Amino acid sequence: GQQVMQIPQYQHVQEGEDFTTYCNSSTTLSNIQWYKQRPGGHPVFLIQLVKSGEVKKQKRLTFQFGEAKKNSSLHITATQTTDVGTYFCAESSNNDYKLSFGAGTTVTVRA
Amino acid sequence: KAGVTQTPRYLIKTRGQQVTLSCSPISGHRSVSWYQQTPGQGLQFLFEYFSETQRNKGNFPGRFSGRQFSNSRSEMNVSTLELGDSALYLCATRDSMNTEAFFGQGTRLTVV
């Protein structure tokens, strides 16, 4: 089964509003990666977080790694229709090349 | 440089048949992983190959197998297909640990 749990599974957002998706683990994560998959597309890498408490920003996207390295979040401000898709978090193990994905948060936007 | 190439893009097979999918990684990437994606189960890890060796395997039955060639190209095979094997099969390649994975566009397999 998956080691990382993502909530919510679905997020319906009014254009212009903000939302947050969360990734949680019962164990300490080596690091966390975030991917976005557009409808009909394939996952595309967004960012990797490695350090405890790390915060990274990409334009309207803010990624955080928890202090205990057991959770992560992705916050999107002023949602646009281009933000539609499924956002996955994934643990990248320090010991091998395996990525363990969360179930994803599927985002739809109301114009 | 060229991205990850998966062939074929679409396949329709009948129950009981077998299928082989191919993945050509980005030049220089020696690690190739395979994932099964279904609406209900998300992205499930199948296996990972590095330098022609399977280093990691997910919880899938023995009907699912794979291999990697000396040029890092990888194939996965599913034998005795079942309806539940209908899914998008994605391969992802990486050049080292803890770096981003590059995904191919996937092979959409439909079993009828």
Side-chain angles (χ1 to χ4, degrees):
Chain A
Q2 290 158 337
Q3 292 180 291
V4 289
M5 304 297 294
Q6 266 188 272
I7 53 171
Q9 186 176 0
Y10 299 98
Q11 184 85 53
H12 308 291
V13 189
Q14 181 71 42
E15 190 174 17
E17 291 184 341
D18 303 350
F19 76 89
T20 304
T21 176
Y22 300 89
C23 183
N24 300 309
S25 173
S26 58
T27 59
T28 302
L29 300 166
S30 302
N31 52 61
I32 200 84
Q33 295 184 356
W34 285 89
Y35 291 79
K36 177 183 178 181
Q37 184 175 22
R38 295 181 185 273
H42 57 278
V44 174
F45 176 82
L46 292 175
I47 209 152
Q48 175 169 274
L49 304 172
V50 178
K51 299 176 183 177
S52 167
E54 190 169 14
V55 178
K56 288 188 176 180
K57 292 189 177 184
Q58 287 181 351
K59 297 182 181 179
R60 296 179 295 103
L61 277 60
T62 301
F63 303 84
Q64 287 190 304
F65 204 4
E67 292 291 340
K69 299 183 74 173
K70 287 187 175 182
N71 57 76
S72 180
S73 64
L74 160 58
H75 181 79
I76 299 182
T77 58
T79 303
Q80 300 176 359
T81 55
T82 54
D83 295 323
V84 164
T86 300
Y87 294 83
F88 294 95
C89 64
E91 182 192 15
S92 175
S93 169
N94 277 337
N95 300 315
D96 57 42
Y97 285 77
K98 178 181 175 181
L99 282 172
S100 298
F101 282 86
T105 295
T106 298
V107 176
T108 55
V109 179
R110 298 189 300 273
Chain B
K1 50 186 176 182
V4 179
T5 303
Q6 287 189 248
T7 56
R9 291 291 309 279
Y10 302 93
L11 265 180
I12 299 176
K13 289 286 188 178
T14 307
R15 274 180 299 174
Q17 288 187 313
Q18 67 94 27
V19 67
T20 299
L21 312 181
S22 178
C23 173
S24 293
I26 291 172
S27 177
H29 288 195
R30 291 191 292 166
S31 169
V32 178
S33 297
W34 289 89
Y35 295 85
Q36 181 194 65
Q37 186 174 33
T38 58
Q41 296 296 320
L43 277 158
Q44 299 292 316
F45 173 75
L46 281 155
F47 27 66
E48 183 259 344
Y49 287 87
F50 182 85
S51 292
E52 303 179 65
T53 301
Q54 186 183 91
R55 291 155 46 100
N56 219 329
K57 190 177 191 304
N59 294 323
F60 279 82
R63 300 184 298 107
F64 292 81
S65 63
R67 59 178 175 169
Q68 186 180 35
F69 302 94
S70 58
N71 62 357
S72 294
R73 189 177 71 86
S74 178
E75 290 181 346
M76 68 163 281
N77 184 277
V78 188
S79 63
T80 320
L81 284 165
E82 300 177 358
L83 295 179
D85 296 333
S86 295
L88 179 66
Y89 290 88
L90 292 159
C91 85
T93 76
R94 301 167 86 177
D95 63 353
S96 62
M97 276 188 257
N98 297 327
T99 58
E100 65 185 282
F102 292 84
F103 282 83
Q105 299 212 357
T107 295
R108 172 76 61 185
L109 172 64
T110 302
V111 182
V112 297

